[in-house]
Amino acid sequence: MRYLQRPDGRIAYGLYGPTDGPLVVCVPGMGDVRATYRHLTVPLAEAGYRVAAMDLRSHGDSDTTFASHTTLDTAEDAAALIGELSAPATVVGNSLGATAAAWIAATRPELVNGLVLSGAFLRGEGVRGAAALALKAMLMRPWGPAMAARYLGSLFSGRTTDDHPAHMAAIRTGLRSRDRYPGILATFANAYRPVPARLDDVRAPALVVMGELDRDWPDPAAEAEWMRDRLGADLLMVPEAGHYPLAQRPDVTVPVLLDFLAATARGAGRA
């Protein structure tokens, strides 16, 4: 584990692979920890890539001293990490982390030579009305940490890996922490104020990854196809997977991701 110093605290990250390999930076979603990429780091490192998997502010092993926990903060932290490790990078993002990855590609194109967007929110729409009120009530203390853990666990529809219980235990540890939960709760609040991804400004080759059972959309395939068409991206629909296909089905996702990275490195722009 290493730390990236930011103005209000430190961002924790793990670093894998050769020091001179092409850089891949992995950004998790809200409530999750960097170990969500545990099934990517080893095979990518063995293939010669330098892989950095980061924690969000107040999540995992990052500091809890941050005053702000927005999606743009996540994008700025990831961009700073790319700079720390020498840009450019392929940025892998899940959920909120994918929104941040697309923002970096649009606003700092010199930092990004590829995007892998898993379970991404790219329309710039938020949770509103009764659904927003219900989500806010669900996350209030004292029941909030347990309800948040139950909600996040429900997003792993379909298959999970043998080490999934340990991963969920790590998520619950963060949610139960009195020091971490306020920052995690502030990160959840991004659901009410999402950031438009500025997709017209994204020029990096992209791979859209979507679980066929992702319950965050009424029709995951239609949402993934919309992202594919807007970005001119490649698309991988992952069977028996929910909102976390990279963590749930590494047997399906890792080979495609390696192909995409190889094609991007060759400048082909497509897997």
Side-chain angles (χ1 to χ4, degrees):
M1 185 177 67
R2 304 187 181 201
Y3 288 102
L4 171 72
Q5 186 64 53
R6 301 290 289 143
D8 293 340
R10 301 175 303 166
I11 295 295
Y13 67 96
L15 190 61
Y16 314 84
T19 58
D20 59 347
L23 181 61
V24 179
V25 171
C26 302
V27 188
M30 63 184 188
D32 206 354
V33 294
R34 67 182 188 276
T36 195
Y37 294 108
R38 63 198 180 279
H39 298 293
L40 296 184
T41 53
V42 172
L44 266 59
E46 289 177 344
Y49 295 94
R50 192 183 192 201
V51 187
M54 60 180 277
D55 281 320
L56 303 184
R57 299 182 175 197
S58 296
H59 291 61
D61 293 302
S62 291
D63 288 345
T64 60
T65 52
F66 294 96
S68 179
H69 295 77
T70 68
T71 303
L72 293 187
D73 293 328
T74 297
E76 290 173 3
D77 292 340
L81 181 57
I82 295 170
E84 177 83 1
L85 298 175
S86 299
T90 296
V91 186
V92 180
N94 172 254
S95 196
L96 176 150
T99 308
W103 181 266
I104 301 168
T107 60
R108 301 286 302 278
E110 74 280 3
L111 297 181
V112 180
N113 57 19
L115 287 173
V116 179
L117 306 174
S118 171
F121 293 95
L122 300 183
R123 290 182 183 267
E125 299 172 351
V127 180
R128 295 184 177 88
L133 293 175
L135 181 60
K136 291 178 180 179
M138 181 187 78
L139 296 173
M140 291 176 59
R141 283 191 178 276
W143 55 79
M147 293 298 291
R150 184 178 302 177
Y151 168 71
L152 292 172
S154 73
L155 297 179
F156 287 89
S157 307
R159 290 195 205 179
T160 54
T161 56
D162 291 342
D163 59 357
H164 176 66
H167 182 62
M168 285 303 306
I171 291 175
R172 287 193 295 269
T173 295
L175 292 170
R176 290 169 179 164
S177 168
R178 289 191 173 273
D179 292 334
R180 297 196 176 281
Y181 190 67
I184 295 173
L185 185 60
T187 306
F188 267 92
N190 286 286
Y192 320 126
R193 50 171 186 271
V195 176
R198 290 180 51 171
L199 300 185
D200 289 337
D201 297 320
V202 175
R203 296 290 180 264
L207 170 64
V208 172
V209 183
M210 179 73 78
E212 291 183 354
L213 304 177
D214 195 330
R215 56 181 291 182
D216 270 328
W217 291 277
D219 189 339
E223 186 68 18
E225 289 164 4
W226 176 82
M227 286 187 272
R228 176 199 63 194
D229 295 343
R230 284 289 279 111
L231 292 168
D234 294 327
L235 171 60
L236 173 63
M237 293 299 300
V238 184
E240 299 181 81
H243 195 55
Y244 305 93
L246 298 175
Q248 293 179 250
R249 296 297 310 274
D251 57 319
V252 174
T253 57
V254 170
V256 175
L257 183 53
L258 286 170
D259 285 347
F260 175 78
L261 289 169
T264 301
R266 292 194 302 268
R270 290 290 177 267

